[in-house]
Amino acid sequence: MLPRMRERPVTCGLLGCGTVGGGVVRLLTRDPAKVTRRVGVPIEIRRVLVRDLGKARVPELDGRLLTTDASEVLDDPDIEMVIEVMGGAEPTLDHLMRAIDAKKGVVTANKLLLATAGKQLLERAQAAGVDLAFEGAVGGGVPIVRTLREALASDRVESITGIVNGTSNYVLTRMLDAGLSLDDAVAEAQARGYAEADPTMDVGGGDAAQKLSILAMLGFGAAADYADLHVEGIQAIAPIDHRFAERFAYRIKHLAIGRDHGDEVELRVHPCLLPQRSVLANVDGVLNAVTLTGEALGPCLVSGQGAGDLPTAVSVVSDALDVARSLVAGVAGLQTRAIAYEARPLRAMAAIETRYYIRFTVLDEPGVIAAIAGRLGDAGVSIEQLVQDGPRPEPGEPATVVMLTHRAREGAVQAALGALREATFMVEPARLLRIEEP
């Protein structure tokens, strides 16, 4: 137990009390003695901002604490810490700025705000001398933010590669295991509560891009707007791609990839083929996992539940305990001051070098494969393996041809595919997936 530097509780206000907020209330109230042991004094919830006073809440929450007036949380001088779990950009950003200006410690799980206004929020918090903690914004209950901010503080992070969206990972897992189409797998994820009614941010890659921009800030000291990242979702993945991946001893995963090249930072989000033996290839369902490579440490894996009320609430409450300990010890703002970042140039996708899986749907005519190989060769892209799917099609029916390339520049591959796009034998645009080797 920490030595008591004061007797009064650390007081907090909640902005929002939905699924995650209810989990926060439960964790803070179910074992007050444990909280007191960890902090040195109790943490007391003073006010909870909600939209609807009549909505049912978790039974641990005293209904008399509810309010629809944000000023009762933000302008109350007795509230020392604000925990934000309401989500969205507005009025949330304004609420957090007001809390910081009022010298209140802030805990948030809002990845959208951190991805779009993280630099602004951190500069404001550093100037005000208060903590801004955000473990719950990336990976739910996976302690990746804490690992980058604290465990690897003495090392140089060279790369970050991870599965950071549980919905996409669940969809890809069910497509592989049950042979479902993408639409059917998404519908199943929605029925199980793993996907939103509008899953665009998840399956489209936007959610993972927001998280990668936050990880890049912590790992590489790079202030990058997530809108500037190269982002692809999983919408174009078809069952046939899973079959071919298995044939070549790979599995398809949606990855967030970051690498520090010194002069540039590489940040991209897209589906990849991973060797079946690799750790990330075997992270299934709604699990998240991130591999970090430190210059001194080498590789490190962090994995766990990436979503849900209690996993995310665990991260939020862990942050709340850290902020409360800082307040009790009289060192508020210490962890926020340790975060350093600057604008850094992003490596263009055309300069990326990797291997590629390319699926062609073409007319079964003489010379087609030679023409494809010729276009790739003209661009400096060499073929490692080539497979045609199934028996020879009937006259006039399309054929499926899959090629794996040797390592090549993205710009060269895209140039070759662009030249092939107008070829008369092409039935539909080629499907490209990058191959990542651990």
Side-chain angles (χ1 to χ4, degrees), residues 114-115 117-120 122 132 134 145 148 160 210-224 265 267 338-342 344:
L114 290 162
K119 186 173 184 291
Q120 183 183 359
L122 279 165
L132 173 66
F134 46 89
V145 170
L148 285 169
I160 300 170
Q210 291 176 357
K211 293 170 180 175
L212 181 58
S213 72
I214 297 168
L215 296 178
M217 177 181 64
L218 294 166
F220 308 139
V265 178
L267 299 174
I339 301 175
Y341 47 87
E342 61 182 353
R344 298 182 61 189

Side-chain angles (χ1 to χ4, degrees), residues 141-270:
V142 181
I144 184 62
V145 170
R146 194 177 305 271
T147 300
L148 285 169
R149 191 186 66 223
E150 298 175 9
L152 296 182
S154 63
D155 202 357
R156 174 180 173 269
V157 178
E158 296 177 333
S159 68
I160 300 170
T161 303
I163 296 167
V164 295
N165 182 268
T167 300
S168 289
N169 201 39
Y170 180 85
V171 168
L172 291 174
T173 299
R174 294 297 293 154
M175 290 179 73
L176 175 63
D177 291 348
L180 300 180
S181 69
L182 185 133
D183 288 344
D184 287 344
V186 169
E188 183 179 286
Q190 290 170 323
R192 290 176 174 267
Y194 298 149
E196 302 289 341
D198 180 0
T200 304
M201 282 296 292
D202 293 318
V203 300
D207 175 84
Q210 291 176 357
K211 293 170 180 175
L212 181 58
S213 72
I214 297 168
L215 296 178
M217 177 181 64
L218 294 166
F220 308 139
D225 188 329
Y226 89 97
D228 294 332
L229 275 55
H230 177 85
V231 180
E232 298 174 24
I234 62 172
Q235 301 98 318
I237 302 293
I240 191 173
D241 295 312
H242 287 284
R243 293 199 301 273
F244 272 111
E246 288 277 288
R247 184 169 181 170
F248 292 119
Y250 290 100
R251 287 183 181 163
I252 300 173
K253 293 293 180 181
H254 191 250
L255 297 183
I257 299 169
R259 295 191 176 100
D260 190 344
H261 295 282
D263 57 336
E264 295 175 320
V265 178
E266 176 184 334
L267 299 174
R268 49 192 170 102
V269 172
H270 50 73

Side-chain angles (χ1 to χ4, degrees), residues 341-356:
Y341 47 87
E342 61 182 353
R344 298 182 61 189
L346 295 180
R347 176 159 291 192
M349 276 300 293
I352 299 299
E353 290 191 7
T354 188
R355 294 170 58 232
Y356 295 86

Side-chain angles (χ1 to χ4, degrees), residues 228-387:
D228 294 332
L229 275 55
H230 177 85
V231 180
E232 298 174 24
I234 62 172
Q235 301 98 318
I237 302 293
I240 191 173
D241 295 312
H242 287 284
R243 293 199 301 273
F244 272 111
E246 288 277 288
R247 184 169 181 170
F248 292 119
Y250 290 100
R251 287 183 181 163
I252 300 173
K253 293 293 180 181
H254 191 250
L255 297 183
I257 299 169
R259 295 191 176 100
D260 190 344
H261 295 282
D263 57 336
E264 295 175 320
V265 178
E266 176 184 334
L267 299 174
R268 49 192 170 102
V269 172
H270 50 73
C272 295
L273 268 65
L274 289 171
Q276 289 176 346
R277 69 182 184 276
S278 67
V279 174
L280 288 180
N282 292 281
V283 175
D284 292 331
V286 294
L287 288 176
N288 281 192
V290 180
T291 58
L292 309 169
T293 303
E295 187 176 51
L297 176 67
C300 171
L301 173 72
V302 184
S303 180
Q305 291 287 344
D309 55 345
L310 287 180
T312 303
V314 165
S315 292
V316 171
V317 172
S318 294
D319 276 344
L321 297 181
D322 279 349
V323 173
R325 278 192 288 260
S326 296
L327 290 167
V328 169
V331 290
L334 191 62
Q335 59 180 304
T336 304
R337 286 198 295 273
I339 301 175
Y341 47 87
E342 61 182 353
R344 298 182 61 189
L346 295 180
R347 176 159 291 192
M349 276 300 293
I352 299 299
E353 290 191 7
T354 188
R355 294 170 58 232
Y356 295 86
Y357 158 104
I358 311 173
R359 173 167 57 85
F360 297 93
T361 304
V362 297
L363 296 178
D364 189 31
E365 300 173 347
V368 167
I369 290 179
I372 293 173
R375 290 291 190 182
L376 289 169
D378 290 344
V381 181
S382 62
I383 299 168
E384 179 185 288
Q385 296 185 59
L386 183 153
V387 174

